[in-house]
Amino acid sequence: MNEFRIQTDSRTHQRYMAVSAKGVHLKEHPILNKGSAFTDDERENLGLLGVLPPKVSTMEEQLARVREHYQQKGTNLERFVYLAALQDRNETLFYRFLSENMDELLPIVYTPVVGEACQKYSHIYRRARGIWITPEHADKIDVILGNVAQEDVRVIVVTDNERILGLGDLGAGGMGIPVGKLTIYTGAAGIHPSQCLPVSLDVGTDNPALLADPLYLGYRKPRLRGAAYDELIEKFVRAVEKRWPGVLLQWEDFANTNAFRLLEKYKDQLCTFNDDIQGTGAVALSGMIAAIRSKKERMSDQKLVFFGAGEAASGIAEQCVVLMKSEGTSDDDARRKIWFVDSKGLVISGVRPLPEHKKPYARDAGEVASWKVVNPTAISLLETVQHVHPTVLIGTSGTPGTFTEPIIHSMARHCAQPVILPLSNPTSKTECAPAHALEWSDGRALVATGSPFPAVDLNGRKVRIGQANNAFIFPGVGLACVATRAKRVTQGMFRAAAAALAETVTEKDIAEGSLYPPASRIREVARKVALEVAKEVFHEGLGGVAKPRELNRLIDSVIWYPEYLPYRYEPSH
Ligand code: NAD
């Protein structure tokens, strides 16, 4: 039974919150709590008389108090912990504070600070948020989902914690990521917090430091693998489908050995996607669309070198191929414009065994036979750049400092405006600081990063560094799925999302040096992305509701804005 429902008074047309509970429960429930902002009437009628300080605060006063507390925190991790506590206490206030300060707070609630929070999870832990499923629960998943009080879950973000950002296996600490992503679903797209559920499939960890930590909160066993792992996933998926049919299931931070397989297996069965592959593909593509639009070029004119050939690289490359094909380039020719370099060097056919996701981009050995290189079976990134003369360089390797001066110099020698995207997260993993990319290219590079960076002062010109943040894509995609009750999530929907995001990048953004809008515009971006993705949902015949005449209205009907509504006690619902 829902404890609350947003209603509209049929006589006055005023919105209000019908609540079926009274008393201190209201101020202990993070979604219902208004803290000192409960009005005198509400205190009188809802059993809250005398259990709050006498002065009734406005939300503005509460925000001023929150700001004061927030500013007293000495480190980013303390700010993270403070915000998590606020979220656990009063979600409406938390989301208003977040929405009004996105630029400042996004890096705290998500990357890069969430990375540190995940690493220290068992030490900073205060209160549970989400659910945990271990191998020992394999036959009790229905019970666990039944224990979730939220009746109307519409979005689930699930991780098995094995590849958290660029930080690897963080065991139970990975829960910070689904929590953070869902915070952005609500903060950016307005999906109501009661409709969001973070899930950790805690299948153990192979991280020895965690296994040895006496405070470790996770399942203290080596990782479950093989058939038993697949079986657990299958049971989880079926139980989710049963409890919340049609829910959007987002796979998050799985190691690439599982991520590609799971996406392939479930993408045609459920409303599901993998943000590390598809969301990243769309956000990076959008940056490239903005760059090539400003250069008045086409995608098919580009030569792209990827450093790091995992989920992110595959997702981005796939989206680039789709765009090139839409420009009239053949599939084969499009793939020939892309070079993958991984930890063992340039990806070439026949030199070493390759996983499936690298094969479409493997180069023919004959093609590189004439290159002058130190070791023809391990051609370096520098050697690749020197021979290919790329116009776009993308870093998804998780290895810092690898876009060196000679590499950027070489690129800039052959390209007037090289596009350089060091995307690895968190900040400590970036392939290259934006200031270096600009300095080493005589200020000509168009740069965007995975983690946030401050503006660069380039001989008196301030260059704003755009962030290729998936938060510009997945909230809008999710909002469209929720609003249209989409049956599947397709590549076409991500292509629509990338194009919509690129459209929000203004001439002014580009003139300031940025390929992305600032985070402060994230709500406007999410709505625009949702609208275009929803059009695509109906275009592909995947809507679970009839296509309305005004799509805007359908999208807006789902968006929740964090404000206090008047409460009325209605025990019957
Ligand atoms: P992944 O594990 O699937 O792939 C990593 C790849 O890097 C693998 O192919 C691996 O072989 C390669 N690699 C590892 N060490 C290397 C080295 N020394 N030299 C060259 N290649 C090396 O991970 P992923 O999902 O592709 O993510 C990779 C990085 O991209 C992470 O840091 C992640 O945070 C970042 N990322 C950023 C965004 C974004 O900015 N929006 C989105 C997704 C991922």
Side-chain angles (χ1 to χ4, degrees):
M1 190 186 72
N2 278 330
E3 291 176 286
F4 61 89
R5 196 166 292 172
I6 296 172
Q7 305 280 52
T8 305
D9 187 299
S10 55
R11 201 172 46 80
T12 62
H13 304 293
Q14 294 283 312
R15 285 179 338 124
Y16 68 94
M17 182 89 98
V19 291
S20 62
K22 273 193 180 190
V24 288
H25 176 71
L26 291 176
K27 73 179 182 75
E28 305 303 334
H29 191 304
I31 290 179
L32 298 178
N33 186 21
K34 297 184 183 182
S36 59
F38 278 110
T39 64
D40 286 330
D41 276 355
E42 286 166 342
R43 294 175 190 213
E44 186 77 40
N45 298 324
L46 297 173
L48 292 168
L49 203 60
V51 298
L52 291 159
K55 163 84 168 72
V56 175
S57 303
T58 62
M59 188 180 261
E60 285 60 41
E61 287 163 347
Q62 289 184 319
L63 287 168
R65 201 173 290 120
V66 165
R67 161 68 58 196
E68 222 175 87
H69 290 161
Y70 183 78
Q71 282 171 341
Q72 282 162 9
K73 304 296 164 198
T75 65
N76 281 338
L77 192 62
E78 284 173 26
R79 288 179 195 110
F80 177 94
V81 171
Y82 171 74
L83 290 174
L86 176 62
Q87 187 177 16
D88 286 341
R89 196 164 66 237
N90 181 337
E91 299 224 28
T92 314
L93 188 58
F94 165 78
Y95 279 111
R96 181 68 83 83
F97 188 54
L98 177 65
S99 310
E100 291 185 0
N101 300 281
M102 264 298 172
D103 266 336
E104 186 185 353
L105 300 192
L106 197 57
I108 307 288
V109 297
Y110 204 65
T111 181
V113 179
V114 74
E116 189 185 354
C118 289
Q119 287 172 310
K120 298 179 178 161
Y121 182 82
S122 295
H123 292 259
I124 62 170
Y125 175 85
R126 303 289 198 280
R127 190 176 169 150
R129 177 171 280 265
I131 56 169
W132 287 262
I133 295 169
T134 74
E136 283 168 23
H137 296 138
D139 294 320
K140 298 180 191 157
I141 300 177
D142 285 332
V143 177
I144 295 176
L145 301 191
N147 288 342
V148 174
Q150 299 147 254
E151 289 299 328
D152 188 24
V153 172
R154 301 287 189 90
V155 186
I156 291 176
V157 177
V158 61
T159 186
D160 78 348
N161 313 295
E162 191 169 7
R163 198 242 63 193
I164 297 301
L165 305 171
L167 301 169
D169 180 351
L170 297 188
M175 184 53 130
I177 299 295
V179 169
K181 285 248 154 142
L182 286 162
T183 296
I184 300 169
Y185 269 106
T186 302
I191 297 174
H192 196 274
S194 66
Q195 296 179 323
C196 300
L197 182 68
V199 178
S200 171
L201 291 174
D202 187 350
V203 294
T205 178
D206 292 341
N207 181 332
L210 295 177
L211 291 170
D213 180 352
L215 290 188
Y216 182 57
L217 282 163
Y219 182 64
R220 204 182 286 266
K221 291 268 171 69
R223 277 189 172 272
L224 183 73
R225 298 202 183 271
Y229 173 92
D230 287 356
E231 228 170 89
L232 184 72
I233 301 272
E234 176 69 10
K235 284 182 175 172
F236 166 69
V237 168
R238 296 302 149 217
V240 161
E241 276 281 279
K242 196 164 120 201
R243 173 84 161 96
W244 298 290
V247 67
L248 171 63
L249 182 62
Q250 179 185 320
W251 306 93
E252 187 64 39
D253 284 4
F254 285 70
N256 64 38
T257 41
N258 291 321
F260 288 111
R261 281 185 322 111
L262 296 177
L263 182 62
E264 204 44 44
K265 177 169 178 188
Y266 292 112
K267 73 179 182 358
D268 297 323
Q269 296 183 28
L270 324 163
C271 180
T272 195
F273 73 97
N274 180 309
D275 189 53
D276 307 307
I277 302 173
Q278 296 161 289
T280 306
V283 79
L285 179 68
S286 168
M288 286 185 257
I289 293 173
I292 60 181
R293 191 179 63 202
S294 94
K295 294 205 284 177
K296 303 197 169 28
E297 293 174 2
R298 294 178 326 145
M299 195 69 201
S300 306
D301 302 329
Q302 311 306 314
K303 286 189 276 183
L304 302 98
V305 169
F306 286 78
F307 187 59
E311 296 171 55
S314 293
I316 301 167
E318 211 47 46
Q319 290 280 347
C320 293
V321 167
V322 172
L323 180 55
M324 288 190 220
K325 281 161 71 177
S326 75
E327 292 171 341
T329 304
S330 73
D331 188 89
D332 211 37
D333 285 350
R335 287 180 206 280
R336 296 298 90 197
K337 293 172 192 295
I338 292 172
W339 283 259
F340 272 12
V341 180
D342 67 12
S343 57
K344 299 191 181 72
L346 181 64
V347 175
I348 305 170
S349 317
V351 171
R352 54 186 153 105
L354 292 174
E356 283 307 312
H357 68 271
K358 293 186 189 177
K359 286 183 185 165
Y361 302 99
R363 311 300 300 195
D364 290 335
E367 190 188 339
V368 300
S370 62
W371 289 14
K372 287 195 174 56
V373 294
V374 176
N375 177 355
T377 61
I379 298 174
S380 70
L381 176 63
L382 175 61
E383 290 167 333
T384 305
V385 168
Q386 284 169 335
H387 288 88
V388 170
H389 303 163
T391 58
V392 181
L393 178 63
I394 299 173
T396 54
S397 65
T399 46
T402 40
F403 287 179
T404 58
E405 188 169 353
I407 289 171
I408 305 292
H409 266 311
S410 170
M411 220 186 144
R413 204 169 301 132
H414 299 282
C415 178
Q417 273 192 299
V419 177
I420 299 177
L421 309 176
L423 297 184
S424 289
N425 292 322
T427 319
S428 60
K429 302 288 181 190
T430 190
E431 283 82 3
C432 159
H436 283 143
L438 285 162
E439 185 193 327
W440 297 335
S441 63
D442 310 316
R444 287 181 281 128
L446 294 167
V447 186
T449 49
S451 287
F453 277 88
V456 174
D457 182 356
L458 197 69
N459 308 322
R461 180 168 78 96
K462 199 171 151 201
V463 180
R464 180 160 70 78
I465 306 301
Q467 190 188 352
N469 192 334
N470 294 33
F472 286 127
I473 295 289
F474 69 80
V477 171
L479 177 56
C481 289
V482 170
T484 62
R485 302 260 177 176
K487 293 175 189 151
R488 300 284 179 272
V489 188
T490 64
Q491 283 299 76
M493 287 155 66
F494 280 101
R495 200 178 53 230
L501 172 58
E503 270 180 41
T504 70
V505 180
T506 62
E507 296 288 325
K508 183 165 169 282
D509 292 324
I510 298 282
E512 288 171 359
S514 178
L515 301 175
Y516 294 91
S520 54
R521 297 214 308 261
I522 206 164
R523 281 183 81 93
E524 159 204 330
V525 169
R527 189 175 175 279
K528 161 96 180 151
V529 167
L531 203 56
E532 297 306 317
V533 173
K535 279 184 200 161
E536 183 66 20
V537 170
F538 288 116
H539 175 70
E540 294 185 33
L542 292 172
V545 295
K547 185 181 176 189
R549 220 172 309 142
E550 291 183 64
L551 216 41
N552 298 357
R553 285 195 177 206
L554 181 68
I555 298 293
D556 289 342
S557 70
V558 178
I559 297 176
W560 171 71
Y561 182 70
E563 63 188 344
Y564 294 138
L565 294 176
Y567 284 8
R568 287 189 203 171
Y569 180 57
E570 290 183 5
S572 53
H573 70 259

